């Protein structure tokens, strides 16, 4: 009897917070993930839930610039950094990223974990996208890797000899006898989501809270869904996104809107509040962070799209007040914060 009692394990996920991008990527998810990870005892695991090397998260850790593509930021604070089963991995690029992080004096190998079910991006996948990419992908092989996953021809991380030191089973990791507190770090964003995005100008994975929970954490554990947006919009790819206004060039320069993964100039436009509202609904956002307000403050022009019309505001306060009053209502209480400078710790 006693031995049976001892083998019963407790389900120990305490909570999970999910970071979701409400626009077309590059809203500062990495910086928010880094900032939240720094809170003492708040999380045990930071988990990337979708995408692969197409993501580019620029983070300033104690004054040092780190650009991550595959690895969630937890390692910077000694938390487990898990690449979840919703992700795809290019093994050579992953090792380059590990070396790059190590060259900055940070231990990452000790904290990196990869679920055995994540899929592998092969050199054929990368080659295929470099020959043809009509929608203007990052050419990192994501689309072909997810296609092969769904057509059941893919190779999984657990079968890749070079990754064995990092391989875990997320089920065993999260449902053992330890208390688990998860921060989900997303990649890409709502407008790039395979289902909700502006198809076909989308990525190949789920960039919503739905993409997070498929990594083994059912909805009952979700505590906060943190939506990230910028005070203006950007997009990288082949559709025509930027308006005619020459002010967008100034925003691009001031906001340093050049891709962290491909170096491409990001197209710029005004904030689209209709998109933000939809993304808040679909993700169940209860905490909204709007980054880079300082950029439009310096430009001194305050505009946004609302109900398909462009609206202009006299000053920054009016602009922020309008956003708050439109997003905040009796039934939907959202904590809204504007960030004027990069979140650094
Ligand atoms: P982070 O995580 C911005 C865009 C590409 C292209 C489309 C499909 O840094 O926010 P893909 O290579 O994913 O098949 O390309 O999605 N894209 C991103 N744009 N930030 C990203 O990631 C992106 N990842 C993909 O430019 O239009
Ligand atoms: Mg990016």
């Amino acid at each position: 009897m006693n031995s049976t009692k001892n083998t019963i394990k407790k389900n120990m996920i305490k909570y999970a917070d999910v970071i979701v991008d409400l626009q077309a990527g590059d809203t500062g998810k990495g910086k928010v993930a880094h900032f939240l990870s720094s809170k003492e005892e708040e999380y045990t695991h930071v988990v990337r839930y979708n995408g692969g090397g197409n993501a580019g998260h620029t983070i300033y850790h104690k004054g040092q610039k780190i650009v991550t593509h595959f690895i969630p930021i937890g390692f910077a604070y000694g938390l487990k950094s898990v690449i979840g089963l919703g992700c795809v991995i290019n093994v050579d690029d992953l090792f380059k990223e590990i070396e790059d992080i190590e060259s900055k004096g940070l231990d990452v190998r000790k904290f990196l974990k990869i679920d055995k079910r994540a899929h592998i991006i092969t050199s054929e996948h990368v080659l295929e996208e470099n020959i043809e990419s009509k929608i203007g992908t990052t050419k990192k092989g994501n689309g072909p890797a997810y296609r092969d996953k769904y057509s059941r021809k893919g190779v999984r991380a657990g079968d890749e000899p070079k990754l064995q030191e990092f391989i875990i089973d997320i089920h065993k990791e999260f449902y053992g006898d330890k208390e688990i507190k998860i921060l989900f770090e997303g990649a890409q964003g709502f407008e790039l989501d395979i289902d909700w995005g502006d198809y076909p100008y989308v990525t190949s994975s789920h960039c919503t809270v739905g993409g997070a929970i498929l990594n083994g954490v059912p909805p009952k554990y979700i505590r906060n869904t943190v939506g990230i947006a910028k005070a203006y919009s950007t997009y990288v790819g082949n559709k025509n996104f930027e308006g005619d206004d020459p002010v967008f060039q100034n925003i691009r320069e001031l906001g340093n809107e050049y891709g962290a993964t491909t170096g491409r100039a990001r197209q710029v436009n005004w904030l689209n509040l209709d998109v933000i509202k939809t993304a808040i609904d679909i993700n169940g956002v209860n905490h909204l962070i709007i980054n880079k307000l300082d950029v439009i403050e310096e430009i001194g022009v305050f505009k946004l799209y609302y109900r398909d019309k462009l609206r202009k505001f006299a000053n920054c306060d009016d602009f922020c007040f309008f956003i708050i009053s439109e997003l905040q209502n009796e039934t939907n209480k959202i904590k809204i914060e504007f960030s004027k400078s990069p979140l650094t710790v």
Side-chain angles (χ1 to χ4, degrees), residues 53-333:
N54 48 357
H57 297 174
T58 308
I59 292 144
Y60 292 87
H61 182 68
K62 297 181 177 157
Q64 276 204 103
K65 182 177 170 180
I66 309 172
V67 180
T68 60
H69 300 284
F70 298 96
I71 308 175
I73 193 64
F75 63 87
Y77 293 104
L79 309 177
K80 286 189 184 173
S81 286
V82 182
I83 300 178
L85 54 90
C87 299
V88 285
I89 303 162
N90 178 317
V91 178
D92 290 345
D93 287 352
L94 176 72
F95 278 100
K96 274 187 217 140
E97 189 170 319
I98 291 172
E99 281 161 28
D100 185 51
I101 294 167
E102 284 176 339
S103 76
K104 300 193 168 142
L106 286 162
D107 190 352
V108 56
R109 280 173 200 260
K110 192 171 143 194
F111 303 107
L112 176 61
K113 309 286 166 204
I114 302 173
D115 185 72
K116 62 179 183 179
R117 303 167 187 86
H119 272 252
I120 297 295
I121 303 172
T122 65
S123 49
E124 286 79 16
H125 292 147
V126 177
L127 196 65
E128 185 183 326
E129 270 204 322
N130 277 275
I131 293 167
E132 194 183 24
S133 155
K134 281 201 186 98
I135 64 151
T137 70
T138 59
K139 299 187 178 176
K140 297 291 178 189
N142 278 62
Y146 279 111
R147 179 202 58 213
D148 283 355
K149 166 177 169 172
Y150 285 101
S151 60
R152 276 109 355 125
K153 290 182 200 149
V155 177
R156 303 211 287 181
D159 297 321
E160 170 55 57
K162 290 184 194 150
L163 295 181
Q164 289 312 307
E165 62 177 299
F166 306 118
I167 295 298
I168 58 161
D169 176 345
I170 257 184
H171 177 249
K172 292 202 177 83
E173 182 76 19
F174 292 168
Y175 299 89
D177 51 7
K178 290 199 183 79
E179 186 175 76
I180 306 292
K181 296 180 278 189
I182 299 165
L183 177 65
F184 277 115
E185 178 185 324
Q188 291 81 53
F190 186 72
E191 289 180 279
L192 296 173
D193 179 79
I194 181 73
D195 292 312
W196 289 99
D198 187 15
Y199 195 89
Y201 296 99
V202 295
T203 191
S204 310
S205 66
H206 302 286
C207 319
T208 62
V209 71
I213 63 175
L214 61 77
N215 285 267
V217 179
K220 67 176 175 177
Y221 297 115
I222 305 297
R223 181 180 68 168
N224 293 312
T225 302
V226 187
I228 320 292
K230 268 192 302 214
Y232 50 93
S233 313
T234 61
Y235 159 82
V236 201
N238 282 357
K239 75 174 171 185
N240 197 3
F241 182 81
E242 188 162 305
D244 290 333
D245 199 332
V247 76
F248 296 135
Q249 175 62 24
N250 300 343
I251 294 178
R252 181 163 33 249
E253 295 309 320
L254 205 59
N256 192 23
E257 297 298 349
Y258 292 90
T261 302
T262 60
R264 290 179 289 176
R266 296 173 184 149
Q267 296 186 57
V268 179
N269 213 321
W270 301 114
L271 178 75
N272 189 327
L273 205 55
D274 300 321
V275 169
I276 304 290
K277 278 181 110 167
T278 309
I280 286 174
D281 289 343
I282 299 308
N283 285 296
V285 170
N286 66 335
H287 183 179
L288 170 67
I289 299 173
I290 301 184
N291 282 323
K292 286 190 160 177
L293 189 67
D294 52 323
V295 174
I296 57 164
E297 217 174 9
E298 198 162 331
I299 297 279
V301 184
F302 305 96
K303 291 186 185 178
L304 55 76
Y305 292 100
Y306 176 72
R307 297 195 175 159
D308 291 328
K309 285 204 177 73
L310 192 59
R311 290 190 175 221
K312 191 173 190 255
F313 299 87
N315 54 52
C316 196
D317 284 351
D318 287 1
F319 176 81
C320 296
F321 182 77
F322 185 82
I323 294 171
I324 293 167
S325 59
E326 278 311 313
L327 299 181
Q328 198 73 272
N329 60 50
E330 285 300 301
T331 48
N332 200 10
K333 291 256 181 294

